[in-house]
Amino acid sequence: MSQAARQETASTVDQISARNFERLARYIYDYSGIKMPSSKRTMLEGRLRRRLRTTGHATFDGYCDYLFKDDGLEAESVFLIDAVTTNKTDFFREPRHFDYMTSHVLPEFKSAGVRRIRAWSAACSTGAEPYTMAMVMQRYADEQGGPDYEILGADLSTDVLETALRGVYPNEMLTPVPAEYRHWVMSAKDKTRRESRIHPALRAKLSLARLNLMGDSYAVGEPFDMIMCRNVMIYFDKPTQAKVLKRLCERLKRGGYLFIGHSESITGIELPLVTVANTVFRKT
Ligand SMILES: C[S@@+](CC[C@H](N)C(=O)[O-])C[C@H]1O[C@@H](n2cnc3c(N)ncnc32)[C@H](O)[C@@H]1O
């Protein structure tokens, strides 16, 4: 039997042992805040199989021995974390947030004399969220004569940041972009692919960085007028959510806005925020 066939056979029957699952879950939680209950074992196996093949390990035990010995984690951590993060995202996801931005947040900043809005998409995945913010802010600026804006997109996964940087997406993914924003979507350079790209003028407004929300401090520069941190805290437990939300508030200007995912909540966490709309808060 060839080595490839042996590996294939091993990987279809191989499972992560209870001890190694425990070690992986502990590392993933400590590093990223992502909960990994035992019910996620099959999911984790599925996601790590490609890493086994890439690193030349026939079994999960072999992979884990490599990972937790010597400098294995130093070499493999980024790839392990890329494999375990869930990066589902959409353009104009939870569209009421963007309606609220246009109807309340942007007029408020304009009348307060803000010249340049600093916004942060704190778990930006492949970029649909920060590019949606850019479309909304650019349209408002074009129609109302400002304010200008800059956006930081950050995520823990390096894979998704590469996609965000390219700004090229399958056409189906851009379907939710409403007609009034379509001029920011251009056909891709490679005409043989069913892809579109985001207009360079919007791409120029977005800077990207790898940032772990579990980190002790967020090196993100000046405080923000607006932070979107959506659909990432669902993967964290309550104490981690509290820690992350407190740090996000520290990076928000007084009077600045925080948006969280529609299925997320700040209930029971003491924060300098008032609710202004469903899952939208303002720093006091
Ligand atoms: C489900 S996506 C949400 C994307 C976008 N905010 C949205 O709502 O469409 C969650 C993102 O959080 C990122 N993530 C997970 N843990 C993180 C952490 N500790 N620090 C920063 N980003 C993290 C993942 O890599 C993933 O891209």
Side-chain angles (χ1 to χ4, degrees):
M1 194 191 275
S2 71
Q3 195 193 350
R6 259 200 316 279
Q7 282 194 359
E8 189 54 36
T9 310
S11 68
T12 47
V13 294
D14 187 39
Q15 290 183 323
I16 303 177
S17 68
R19 175 170 172 270
N20 278 329
F21 180 79
E22 165 70 25
R23 290 206 288 179
L24 284 164
R26 165 63 46 199
Y27 177 74
I28 293 164
Y29 174 78
D30 287 347
Y31 185 83
S32 70
I34 298 170
K35 291 174 287 171
M36 202 50 71
S38 51
S39 56
K40 297 222 167 146
R41 186 151 136 189
T42 311
M43 183 208 80
L44 188 62
E45 286 167 356
R47 292 199 176 180
L48 288 184
R49 280 211 168 93
R50 196 145 65 97
R51 284 312 301 162
L52 258 67
R53 283 197 289 274
T54 309
T55 54
H57 292 95
T59 64
F60 285 110
D61 283 346
Y63 176 73
C64 289
D65 285 348
Y66 150 73
L67 192 65
F68 293 110
K69 238 187 242 161
D70 305 326
D71 47 9
L73 272 171
E74 208 174 297
E76 184 62 9
S77 173
V78 165
F79 304 109
L80 170 69
I81 294 298
D82 275 358
V84 301
T85 53
T86 300
N87 311 118
K88 191 208 161 342
T89 189
D90 294 306
F91 284 85
F92 286 84
R93 185 178 196 180
E94 299 176 354
R96 269 180 294 161
H97 279 161
F98 299 103
D99 294 343
Y100 187 82
M101 217 177 264
T102 305
S103 61
H104 289 79
V105 178
L106 299 175
E108 161 65 33
F109 287 148
K110 183 158 172 59
S111 64
V114 175
R115 305 269 289 272
R116 192 176 171 86
I117 298 169
R118 250 176 80 69
W120 181 19
S121 167
C124 71
S125 188
T126 52
E129 182 177 277
Y131 284 127
T132 302
M133 293 163 89
M135 287 180 195
V136 170
M137 288 197 268
Q138 187 64 54
R139 179 169 179 230
Y140 188 86
D142 288 347
E143 289 178 358
Q144 306 296 326
D148 194 6
Y149 65 95
E150 63 188 44
I151 305 171
L152 170 67
D155 201 282
L156 181 58
S157 161
T158 52
D159 270 353
V160 295
L161 290 170
E162 270 171 41
T163 305
L165 188 64
R166 282 185 71 221
V168 176
Y169 300 94
N171 288 340
E172 317 82 81
M173 197 174 161
L174 287 145
T175 313
V177 177
E180 60 272 33
Y181 298 98
R182 292 301 299 194
H183 56 288
W184 297 111
V185 177
M186 305 168 71
S187 56
K189 287 186 180 145
D190 182 349
K191 305 281 181 246
T192 61
R193 301 172 73 96
R194 298 166 59 80
E195 288 178 338
S196 300
R197 66 195 161 109
I198 302 298
H199 196 290
L202 294 198
R203 279 197 294 159
K205 295 290 191 182
L206 177 64
S207 49
L208 293 157
R210 183 171 192 247
L211 186 134
N212 187 353
L213 289 168
M214 290 293 284
D216 287 336
S217 66
Y218 298 162
V220 286
E222 295 293 301
F224 293 93
D225 299 290
M226 181 160 71
I227 299 177
M228 281 202 149
C229 185
R230 308 189 307 165
N231 304 304
V232 60
M233 283 185 293
I234 36 169
Y235 302 105
F236 300 161
D237 59 18
K238 202 76 186 173
T240 306
Q241 290 176 7
K243 207 164 70 173
V244 168
L245 282 162
K246 281 189 180 127
R247 292 205 184 122
L248 290 176
C249 286
E250 284 165 17
R251 307 311 310 161
L252 196 58
K253 284 183 196 164
R254 187 173 289 175
Y257 290 86
L258 172 70
F259 295 76
I260 64 171
H262 284 350
S263 56
E264 295 167 329
S265 151
I266 64 162
T267 308
I269 305 170
E270 206 171 304
L271 296 164
L273 297 174
V274 288
T275 306
V276 291
N278 183 23
T279 59
V280 186
F281 309 90
R282 197 154 189 208
K283 186 167 171 182
T284 50

